[in-house]
Amino acid sequence: MPLPLISERPLPGAPADVTGARRQLIDRLSADGRLPLGDWETLLSSPSQEDRAYARDRAAEVARSQFGNRVFVRGLIEFSSHCRQDCLYCGIRKSNRDAERYRLSPDEILACCAEGYRLGYRTFVLQSGEDARYTTEVVTDIVRRIRAAYPDCAITLSIGERSRAAYQQFFDAGANRFLLRHETADSEHYDRLHPAGRTLESRLACLSDLKEIGFQTGAGFMVGSPFQTVNHLAKDLVLLSELRPHMVGIGPFLPHHRTPFADQPAGSVDLTLFILSLVRLMLPTVLLPSTTALGTARAGARESGIQAGANVVMLNLSPPEQRPKYLLYDNKPVSGEVVEMTEAVRRSLGRIGYEMVVDRGDHPEAAR
Ligand code: SAM
């Protein structure tokens, strides 16, 4: 019998004996850094509130032992909302004719970096749709300029699938990190989320190229994406345990009103928090953001993400007038001056006992 869809599974309420078994699995995950697929399925099937609290407390201990109470902040620059791809879940997909499009020039991107640097940011994350106008040469030139102006900063790219030669050129120009979520580790599920022609195989080939080239590499997925089952999530976690990426981006799926998934339910915040904890236990040194999508899904959830084991937050350095055009999902926050947002997050992290730090925050392996 196929496992039920994530969105159909109520979270709380597993019987006590199942909870006991899950705790043993959580302990085993902490000790071994991996679990067989069937055990992941057990762990992810309707965890009780106690299971989630147990994983959260273990994960918070691990994060503290690795990073103390430090949370790294990254400056996100969304530099183009043009996209040649047509991912069914995404608000800036090519087929969304209502989406307003914009591009930042290299000078505008540099201006965002300058403001971020002034406020203490030491990592710039350049993200965009897959926009052919930013050729290999153009992106390389932007990376080179940022590298020259800010030699003490990390440069992260999140610009989708490119050739290995292009990735190599970005790395040689001074980019350090690359985020490319695998989206789902099940190829049939992948095909239901993406148009024909996109494959999980090519996504994974990109991730392997990025790692081999020497990037601090980030994979990840949405929790509660349409058609997702417990088996799919279990496969995602097995994939992460094998790939051992330096960064993992996980947030709930949130619907966008101008996509084919407009009427699909949002992913569960509680399940997302549980999975963040499991990832921290599996990969103790991983750079794990408490994502914007998580903070959007429920007030205070960004802080809950940190308490569940995440150790990174990303704040938007993009020009305020362009932010409403980079709408991946409904209700994505777009307002706020960078300086005020930075201070607000610093204060909210302080209230839960964490310190927002502005150093590069490299993965410990890369820092060595
Ligand atoms: N184009 C680049 C890429 O494909 O990696 C980077 C930009 S892409 C918009 C960044 C991430 O946003 C995707 O990997 C996806 O997981 C997430 N995303 C897109 N639509 C979303 C939605 N409706 N809800 C939550 N996350 C979404």
Side-chain angles (χ1 to χ4, degrees):
M1 200 180 69
L3 289 161
L5 297 181
I6 289 294
S7 54
E8 289 168 1
R9 302 183 73 96
L11 263 184
D17 55 336
V18 179
T19 287
R22 284 213 195 87
R23 287 189 185 192
Q24 284 178 11
L25 290 178
I26 291 167
D27 291 342
R28 188 131 55 81
L29 175 66
S30 309
D32 300 349
R34 60 188 71 235
L35 286 176
L37 186 73
D39 285 344
W40 278 118
E41 287 175 347
T42 305
L43 206 44
L44 293 163
S45 298
S46 306
S48 67
Q49 205 177 334
E50 292 76 32
D51 297 327
R52 289 185 274 121
Y54 184 74
R56 181 197 62 211
D57 293 347
R58 299 285 83 72
E61 276 167 27
V62 171
R64 287 238 171 207
S65 72
Q66 295 292 338
F67 304 100
N69 70 343
R70 291 149 52 90
V71 174
F72 301 121
V73 66
R74 318 297 198 200
L76 179 65
I77 304 168
E78 297 161 336
F79 67 90
S80 168
S81 66
H82 290 262
C83 194
R84 67 188 171 94
Q85 298 292 1
D86 220 13
C87 309
L88 275 75
Y89 44 82
C90 184
I92 61 167
R93 65 198 300 265
K94 178 178 64 181
S95 297
N96 181 4
R97 307 269 170 239
D98 285 353
E100 284 186 74
R101 308 287 175 174
Y102 72 95
R103 293 188 171 98
L104 299 188
S105 68
D107 284 346
E108 288 171 316
I109 295 172
L110 264 291
C112 295
C113 295
E115 188 186 4
Y117 193 85
R118 195 173 54 77
L119 294 172
Y121 287 78
R122 295 296 179 266
T123 289
F124 303 120
V125 182
L126 270 55
Q127 193 183 88
S128 68
E130 292 203 7
D131 183 352
R133 287 270 194 98
Y134 295 83
T135 59
T136 305
E137 294 315 317
V138 172
V139 174
T140 303
D141 189 51
I142 294 167
V143 170
R144 239 185 239 127
R145 286 181 62 184
I146 299 174
R147 173 55 57 235
Y150 305 104
D152 54 333
C153 290
I155 303 171
T156 305
L157 296 176
S158 173
I159 59 174
E161 297 184 29
R162 301 265 176 147
S163 68
R164 183 178 175 124
Y167 288 151
Q168 183 71 58
Q169 207 170 307
F170 304 150
F171 186 78
D172 294 342
N176 314 91
R177 308 184 190 137
F178 204 107
L179 300 172
L180 187 78
R181 290 185 178 185
H182 65 278
E183 311 296 1
T184 169
D186 180 277
S187 52
E188 276 175 30
H189 186 216
Y190 194 93
D191 294 347
R192 297 183 81 178
L193 299 180
H194 300 97
R198 298 276 311 277
T199 63
L200 175 59
E201 206 185 349
S202 77
R203 201 84 179 165
L204 295 180
C206 288
L207 280 167
S208 153
D209 285 341
L210 290 163
K211 242 188 142 192
E212 278 173 23
I213 288 168
F215 280 101
Q216 293 174 57
T217 303
F221 55 91
M222 292 174 286
V223 174
S225 58
F227 318 116
Q228 187 178 64
T229 66
V230 167
N231 169 261
H232 297 151
L233 280 178
K235 284 181 173 167
D236 286 321
L237 289 155
V238 169
L239 177 85
L240 293 180
S241 69
E242 286 166 356
L243 184 68
R244 308 199 84 73
H246 305 87
M247 303 174 283
V248 174
I250 295 173
F253 159 75
L254 298 173
H256 183 289
H257 64 286
R258 294 295 295 168
T259 63
F261 295 155
D263 298 326
Q264 297 284 334
S268 156
V269 169
D270 288 333
L271 185 59
T272 304
L273 293 171
F274 184 54
I275 292 175
L276 286 176
S277 298
L278 299 179
V279 170
R280 169 61 63 211
L281 293 172
M282 175 168 70
L283 302 169
T285 56
V286 77
L287 298 169
L288 188 63
S290 188
T291 57
T292 308
L294 184 62
T296 305
R298 188 163 83 196
R302 183 165 36 198
E303 291 72 22
S304 306
I306 298 298
Q307 290 168 315
N311 68 327
V312 172
V313 292
M314 286 196 202
L315 295 185
N316 202 332
L317 301 181
S318 314
E321 68 278 12
Q322 305 295 8
R323 287 185 216 152
K325 303 177 198 163
Y326 199 88
L327 214 61
L328 309 181
Y329 43 80
D330 291 339
N331 305 317
K332 184 168 173 269
V334 291
S335 60
E337 291 299 321
V338 180
V339 61
E340 283 153 23
M341 288 187 310
T342 309
E343 281 320 303
V345 172
R346 191 191 304 282
R347 278 195 304 274
S348 70
L349 290 174
R351 279 195 289 274
I352 57 167
Y354 288 85
E355 184 196 354
M356 187 173 100
V357 294
V358 287
D359 72 13
R360 275 175 57 125
D362 282 301
H363 187 276
E365 256 172 41
R368 272 201 300 277

